[in-house]
Amino acid sequence: MTATRTSPPAKSTEKAKTQDGKPDKRFKVLDITMKRNQYRQDALIEILHKAQEAFGFLEEDVLSYIAHKLQLPLSQVYGVATFYHLFSLKPSGAHTCVVCLGTACYVKGGGDILKAVEEDVGIAAGETTEDGQVSIVTARCIGACGIAPAVVYDGKVAGQQTPEQTCDRIHGWKQADS
Amino acid sequence: MERAELLEQATVAKQAQKRIRIHCCTSTGCQASQSLDVKKQLDNAIKTHNLGDTVEAVGVGCMGFCGQGPMVEIEDADSPAEKKHYQKVTPEQAESIIGSLNGSGEADAIEGDPNHPFFSRQLLIVREHSGRIDPERIDEYLAVGGYQALHHAIYEMSPADVVQEITQSGLRGRGGAGYPTGLKWATVAKMPPGQKYIICNADEGDPGAFMDRSVLESDPHRILEGMAIAGYAVGATQGYIYVRAEYPLAITRLQKAIQQAKRKHCLGAQIFDSPVDFTIEIRVGAGAFVCGEETALIASVEGGRGNPRPRPPYPAVSGLHGCPTLINNVETLGNISPIIRNGAEWFAGIGTERSKGTKIFSLTGKIRNNGLIEVPMGITLREIVEEMGGGVPGANNVKAIQTGGPSGGCIPDRELDTPVDYDSLRELGSMMGSGGMVVMDDDTSMVQVAQFYMEFCRGETCGKCIPCRAGTVQMYQLLTKLLDEKATKRDLDRLKELCGMVQATSLCGLGQTAPNPVLSTLHYFEQEYLDLLQPDPITVAAANRG
């Protein structure tokens, strides 16, 4: 399975440009990471992590750029990016709500939280609202079993959550942004 | 570096500590309950009360009682036996806790009982410093005798002696399968000299287990020291720690620990000015459960997809980049420095005949006292659940205990008097696994639990071998059909048949153990499955015709 290419990969000699012609700072971050890893092919996962941090998700251009720089076939970079759950090839929302579904959280009602949130926001887990505000994600286990059920709001872990609390938090995001 | 110099550093670090130390937990669980604010307020209160000369607030790792966090513990060097601890501390209560130290009033916080079975029944080896030292400062680790075992190994023992010591201790792999650690080390050590690797498997993917995270966050230097000793013993100069990306705090603390250890010459080139080199790098996973399987983990460290490969050759013979590779779990490596420090006999004296030492369990689910416990092998499940865990809250009873995550099984309440070790759990159709223990009460449907784990395996299979890729999907669908009350006896028979086939024909441990939750619930709670069955239309039609 390979990615269908829509645009030629950025050449290593020219910095990727944004629409207004200035060099894109995010590619600079990527370059620094690759340099620090001496362009080693076995550091691909580290580099993809950094790329996702800088770009928010793994755009196809970015994947081609990395493949080109590390001298790897694009199919291999794409294969690694699609294998691991944490890499996303789609843009995520401005806010992310991660519902943990580990065993402890599940036994204590993590599934009910997810159901309530999905109904409330109107999207399924793994999707982002149309306005690009909220993404709902599930996690296998975030290791906060002692305070189950746990939910991660924009990277901050909160324990002993209820469906109402979680929905309220998401409403809070929506109100703050509108 | 002479031993005297290391001891002096330890003494200096110890003397720099204040008489009264207030430990405030800053691990993931307690941070989620605002423990960082509590720490800040404790610092402020020490300033306002002018107690800076005798009192210090220390951000420490996990004290184990995560369900009651944030935890604050007061330790007075003059009376070390009298430890006080407070639970569920809020930032507002910090003032009164400090106030109570100089006699101005009582602490306005929930005081815990340090003699509660949850604490008193524990035996701390791997977690001996957890919750007592600041994981972000190497001086704290040196003050409790850190890196002395490594120094002793390098200067007083030959690599063969170290392997011998680990073999005699009887330590078995804490990742769950229980392979004798000494034997694994000896295999790698026997390989011809050349490039060898040590990998610390910190890809704790089992849902419901968080002991590795806690050890890494609370005492990262212990793991580095264990790895360095392993490196010296088997002749490896490069180590990797493969951590899940879901543990950002553990990653940060490990990075800090590695830098500090390098600066103190406890890691890197020429450790303690000896000819021994050992460097450690961190490799961050990206959310794939299968990467806990050693061959898949190696593929992932090499930067590829985490697909397992058939064994043999085992990683000990041909692993990372085709070189001999020693892969040990976090908790296994956490046991190394105490064994070197106290000797193999001391370690072999703890636990049962075939399972030595202690095991950390994360006790979660429907239980009063959530948290981490480190107990000697051979303790019974009843002691863990009823005495330490305080039983099930409310009027319900314990129905089953799930151990070993998706590869383990459910143990019914009637087997609670079983002593916990590798072999007894396997006899019950479960396994030790990494140490997750999830307590389930009467309200839990066992078929749903089996479906939950099957859904997990279905999503986490890497897809390389057909039995696992297709079998988990089919089993999941059959379980769903059962729960929708549309299944007949023939479906149940097919489910059993599939379980046996997937177990026997899968490529790696993920597939081979995926049917365990189904098999164990079928074995102990068959009635729940039978209650969901529908009459078979064919049999009904035949009966009507007859």
Side-chain angles (χ1 to χ4, degrees):
Chain A
M1 189 171 159
T2 52
T4 46
R5 208 176 262 179
T6 48
S7 58
K11 290 277 182 295
S12 57
T13 46
E14 58 163 292
K15 281 273 179 291
K17 302 269 196 297
T18 50
Q19 283 165 343
D20 55 6
K22 285 185 187 151
D24 191 333
K25 266 194 193 143
R26 298 175 302 180
F27 278 98
K28 211 170 178 174
V29 173
L30 201 51
D31 283 337
I32 291 168
T33 309
M34 289 197 270
K35 203 180 250 172
R36 194 177 298 146
N37 285 295
Q38 294 117 38
Y39 297 95
R40 288 211 319 259
Q41 296 180 337
D42 64 348
L44 176 61
I45 294 175
E46 310 291 302
I47 290 158
L48 288 175
H49 269 299
K50 255 300 183 256
Q52 179 148 312
E53 227 174 89
F55 291 83
F57 70 106
L58 297 173
E59 299 174 41
E60 204 177 306
D61 292 356
V62 175
L63 290 179
S64 333
Y65 185 73
I66 294 173
H68 183 86
K69 286 278 193 175
L70 299 185
Q71 298 182 347
L72 282 166
L74 178 60
S75 59
Q76 193 176 331
V77 176
Y78 185 81
V80 170
T82 49
F83 182 87
Y84 295 99
H85 300 288
L86 283 181
F87 296 135
S88 161
L89 277 71
K90 287 193 302 225
S92 60
H95 299 286
T96 324
C97 167
V98 184
V99 182
C100 181
L101 292 181
T103 321
C105 293
Y106 178 80
V107 168
K108 287 185 148 187
D112 302 339
I113 293 180
L114 182 65
K115 238 186 241 142
V117 173
E118 283 178 336
E119 269 175 32
D120 189 73
V121 186
I123 52 170
E127 293 178 352
T128 306
T129 51
E130 276 183 19
D131 57 5
Q133 277 304 319
V134 182
S135 296
I136 300 176
V137 187
T138 57
R140 289 291 186 204
C141 177
I142 56 165
C145 317
I147 50 170
V151 180
V152 188
Y153 303 103
D154 284 349
K156 271 210 145 85
V157 183
Q160 284 141 359
Q161 295 292 291
T162 62
E164 295 76 30
Q165 275 175 313
T166 313
C167 292
D168 286 351
R169 278 292 281 268
I170 293 175
H171 292 183
W173 283 338
K174 287 189 159 173
Q175 276 161 4
D177 294 323
S178 58
Chain B
M1 191 196 293
E2 293 296 319
R3 187 174 171 77
E5 206 180 323
L6 189 67
L7 291 175
E8 193 192 347
Q9 281 189 6
T11 320
V12 170
K14 187 87 195 144
Q15 281 167 347
Q17 294 177 353
K18 305 276 191 295
R19 181 171 65 91
I20 298 177
R21 286 161 59 90
I22 300 182
H23 300 149
C24 176
C25 176
T26 56
S27 278
T28 300
C30 285
Q31 275 200 18
S33 332
Q34 278 73 48
S35 71
L36 290 179
D37 292 344
V38 174
K39 164 100 175 31
K40 210 185 284 169
Q41 291 304 330
L42 285 169
D43 283 329
N44 289 343
I46 291 172
K47 274 201 195 93
T48 51
H49 284 267
N50 286 329
L51 290 169
D53 298 340
T54 51
V55 185
E56 60 179 338
V58 188
V60 294
C62 181
M63 300 183 208
F65 216 178
C66 312
Q68 299 296 323
M71 300 265 292
V72 169
E73 184 184 61
I74 297 176
E75 190 181 43
D76 190 336
D78 292 349
S79 50
E82 292 173 33
K83 279 197 185 122
K84 267 189 176 176
H85 79 255
Y86 300 100
Q87 299 167 359
K88 294 201 169 175
V89 178
T90 61
E92 296 76 41
Q93 294 170 337
E95 170 70 30
S96 68
I97 291 177
I98 302 294
S100 72
L101 292 176
N102 60 1
S104 58
E106 284 291 305
D108 164 40
I110 308 165
E111 191 170 338
D113 173 15
N115 300 319
H116 186 283
F118 185 88
F119 299 105
S120 63
R121 298 299 305 268
Q122 293 197 44
L123 175 67
L124 302 178
I125 297 178
V126 179
R127 299 190 66 248
E128 59 189 339
H129 308 315
S130 291
R132 288 182 179 73
I133 61 168
D134 183 345
E136 301 193 7
R137 290 174 47 212
I138 191 169
D139 284 343
E140 293 258 313
Y141 185 64
L142 291 174
V144 289
Y147 288 109
Q148 286 174 19
L150 175 63
H151 192 284
H152 178 79
I154 290 177
Y155 279 105
E156 313 287 333
M157 300 166 89
S158 70
D161 288 344
V162 179
V163 175
Q164 178 75 4
E165 196 75 22
I166 300 298
T167 308
Q168 282 176 343
S169 73
L171 175 66
R172 292 170 69 175
R174 295 288 190 256
Y179 190 80
T181 308
L183 199 57
K184 203 187 252 186
W185 284 31
T187 314
V188 181
K190 270 195 217 110
M191 294 301 291
Q195 182 67 55
K196 295 178 185 178
Y197 295 102
I198 308 282
I199 296 181
C200 166
N201 184 348
D203 186 72
E204 192 181 32
D206 278 18
F210 59 101
M211 60 289 298
D212 292 355
R213 174 182 65 73
S214 164
V215 171
L216 293 170
E217 284 178 6
S218 312
D219 200 0
H221 286 286
R222 158 182 298 270
I223 306 304
L224 305 184
E225 187 175 7
M227 284 176 81
I229 294 172
Y232 172 71
V234 304
T237 53
Q238 171 73 47
Y240 290 100
I241 304 180
Y242 186 86
V243 198
R244 298 176 75 203
E246 288 90 335
Y247 292 174
L249 187 62
I251 295 168
T252 319
R253 287 186 174 170
L254 276 170
Q255 281 165 336
K256 273 189 189 162
I258 291 172
Q259 279 172 353
Q260 293 170 348
K262 270 190 195 155
R263 272 205 295 275
K264 293 258 181 199
H265 294 289
C266 304
L267 278 184
Q270 299 183 323
I271 297 175
F272 302 131
D273 305 331
S274 71
V276 179
D277 301 341
F278 194 71
T279 45
I280 296 182
E281 276 182 51
I282 297 178
R283 282 276 181 259
V284 178
F289 175 67
V290 72
C291 287
E293 201 278 339
E294 56 182 13
T295 55
L297 189 149
I298 286 173
S300 187
V301 172
E302 288 173 350
R305 291 166 68 99
N307 283 338
R309 59 163 180 76
R311 297 179 305 181
Y314 284 88
V317 175
S318 167
L320 189 62
H321 307 303
C323 304
T325 305
L326 173 70
I327 302 182
N328 279 140
N329 170 273
V330 172
E331 205 187 321
T332 313
L333 290 163
N335 275 304
I336 302 300
S337 59
I339 291 175
I340 299 296
R341 200 170 51 225
N342 303 324
E345 273 178 33
W346 159 82
F347 191 82
I350 302 165
T352 63
E353 191 193 344
R354 299 196 48 218
S355 304
K356 302 294 183 195
T358 57
K359 176 80 190 89
I360 308 178
F361 290 105
S362 56
L363 197 54
T364 57
K366 298 279 181 76
I367 189 145
R368 272 202 183 80
N369 306 329
N370 268 313
L372 280 182
I373 50 169
E374 182 169 5
V375 288
M377 297 269 192
I379 189 171
T380 65
L381 284 165
R382 190 177 300 282
E383 285 172 282
I384 291 179
V385 173
E386 289 179 4
E387 285 181 39
M388 302 177 79
V392 177
N396 282 345
N397 298 313
V398 177
K399 181 175 181 177
I401 300 174
Q402 208 285 337
T403 66
S407 329
C410 293
I411 298 166
D413 60 337
R414 61 175 183 272
E415 299 286 356
L416 279 187
D417 290 313
T418 312
V420 176
D421 64 29
Y422 291 102
D423 310 306
S424 66
L425 289 182
R426 195 159 292 158
E427 275 161 32
L428 289 174
S430 179
M431 67 183 275
M432 180 76 83
S434 55
M437 236 183 222
V438 185
V439 180
M440 303 180 178
D441 67 356
D442 305 335
D443 294 344
T444 317
S445 151
M446 286 298 145
V447 186
Q448 252 178 357
V449 169
Q451 185 207 26
F452 166 80
Y453 280 115
M454 199 46 72
E455 193 216 358
F456 181 91
C457 293
R458 184 194 66 163
E460 291 297 335
T461 174
C462 76
K464 183 172 175 173
C465 74
I466 299 246
C468 178
R469 183 177 71 216
T472 49
V473 174
Q474 292 302 325
M475 286 192 281
Y476 174 76
Q477 283 172 347
L478 285 169
L479 286 164
T480 311
K481 198 172 172 185
L482 265 165
L483 285 163
D484 292 344
E485 300 193 6
K486 288 178 184 164
T488 61
K489 174 136 186 359
R490 277 186 305 161
D491 290 311
L492 191 60
D493 293 339
R494 187 167 300 148
L495 179 66
K496 288 177 186 171
E497 198 183 340
L498 261 176
C499 282
M501 197 199 73
V502 173
Q503 225 176 6
T505 55
S506 289
L507 167 66
C508 83
L510 192 154
Q512 287 159 10
T513 56
N516 282 0
V518 182
L519 287 169
S520 78
T521 47
L522 258 173
H523 180 75
Y524 292 115
F525 302 96
E526 192 174 24
Q527 198 51 48
E528 288 195 32
Y529 282 84
L530 298 177
D531 290 345
L532 292 166
L533 291 185
Q534 303 304 308
D536 191 344
I538 297 171
T539 339
V540 172
N544 288 344
R545 275 201 306 274

